Amino acid sequence: MRGAFITLEGTEGVGKTTCLEFVRDTLAAADIPAVVTREPGGTALGEIIRDWILKGNHGRLSAETETLLMFAARAFHLDEVIRPALDAGHWVICDRFSDATVAYQGGGRRADKGWIQSLRAAVHADLEPDLTLLLDAPVEVGLNRIRTREPDHFERENRDFFARVRAAYLELARDEPHRIKVIDATPSLPEIESRISGHMAAFLGVFSR
Ligand code: Z5A
């Protein structure tokens, strides 16, 4: 049986990376080791693309080019890391995946969402996440949490950009409520972890049967 594919999503600073550790620990406590990876990234090529995009020294980078770079990194990541791990029965936890492209390049940058979904189908029609934890908070909450660090290519965007990203994520969640679980990311970390635990327990009950 193939392993489960879990993704974490959300706008800047909502706590994905922090909560990913908690998801990994929850699985480990259930005796389920997991491969942890991220996008863009997760492979040598993906990390080069990530570094190049996030540094932001690229002059004019169109929404379409940004989208294609995300999917190029993703296609390689799927071939090299995600599919082999799942096929070997391992679980995979990925910090962002294709929902991020719909939200950032489709919502934030206003690239055509139909085109993005067609790329999604071309690259991984056979595989979607089994569970997506979408950490959601008002834009100001996330931006406030990361205000002391040097902003990258995306973090230099304005509030309206992140409001469109958030709206696109919430639209995806409305369309796919069984896969995408929205978690209010504004309370304290223990409270958020308790909500994640609830979703994980329900998911483990269904996926492991
Ligand atoms: N991107 C894209 O455009 N298209 C795509 O297809 C993909 C990605 C895949 C890199 O992603 C960028 O790539 C991303 C979108 C774009 N945009 N940017 N920038 P990333 O995931 O590596 O980068 P990120 O979203 O900026 O990560 P982040 O800012 O580190 O956010 P986070 O992982 O959600 O937050 P965190 O690091 O866990 O927490 C941030 C801080 O808040 C930290 O100090 C925590 O201790 C604190 N924190 C966390 N939770 C709480 C609570 N509950 N209360 C108080 N403080 C908290």
Side-chain angles (χ1 to χ4, degrees):
M1 185 182 162
R2 87 155 168 84
F5 183 26
I6 299 174
T7 56
L8 282 94
E9 298 279 0
T11 51
E12 326 307 301
V14 286
K16 285 175 296 82
T17 310
T18 309
C19 292
L20 191 146
E21 298 296 321
F22 178 75
V23 171
R24 174 171 45 194
D25 292 348
T26 303
L27 292 180
D31 238 0
I32 303 173
V35 173
V36 173
T37 187
R38 68 175 181 180
E39 291 207 349
T43 65
L45 172 67
E47 292 297 329
I48 289 169
I49 290 176
R50 177 191 182 89
D51 193 52
W52 188 80
I53 292 178
L54 294 190
K55 273 196 180 132
N57 305 320
H58 27 61
R60 283 184 29 203
L61 178 63
S62 73
E64 289 70 28
T65 306
E66 208 173 86
T67 301
L68 291 168
L69 286 169
M70 294 295 175
F71 273 106
R74 182 162 301 132
F76 193 60
H77 190 204
L78 280 158
D79 286 349
E80 290 289 304
V81 177
I82 298 176
R83 284 198 188 92
L86 294 174
D87 290 346
H90 304 305
W91 288 40
V92 174
I93 311 170
C94 192
D95 194 338
R96 298 192 185 281
F97 192 61
S98 289
D99 295 326
T101 317
V102 177
Y104 279 79
Q105 282 65 52
R109 301 250 187 264
R110 299 194 171 103
D112 186 291
K113 285 189 191 158
W115 175 64
I116 295 174
Q117 294 293 15
S118 68
L119 288 170
R120 182 179 192 141
V123 171
H124 58 89
D126 59 324
L127 179 70
E128 284 291 342
D130 300 296
L131 173 68
T132 296
L133 301 171
L134 171 57
L135 291 153
D136 176 64
V139 170
E140 289 73 15
V141 171
L143 292 181
N144 198 35
R145 284 183 191 159
I146 59 168
R147 72 178 188 284
T148 53
R149 75 184 183 204
E150 184 66 25
D152 65 29
H153 173 62
F154 293 100
E155 291 162 359
R156 285 194 281 272
E157 290 296 336
N158 62 25
R159 190 206 167 279
D160 288 353
F161 173 87
F162 293 111
R164 291 197 299 278
V165 173
R166 183 186 183 202
Y169 267 132
L170 292 174
E171 189 182 332
L172 284 168
R174 277 193 296 276
D175 289 347
E176 290 189 72
H178 294 297
R179 172 173 72 87
I180 304 177
K181 304 300 176 192
V182 182
I183 295 155
D184 179 2
T186 55
S188 67
L189 205 48
E191 175 60 31
I192 294 169
E193 289 175 349
S194 146
R195 293 176 195 186
I196 291 176
S197 282
H199 288 299
M200 292 298 295
F203 180 72
L204 282 166
V206 173
F207 197 87
S208 310
R209 256 206 303 265

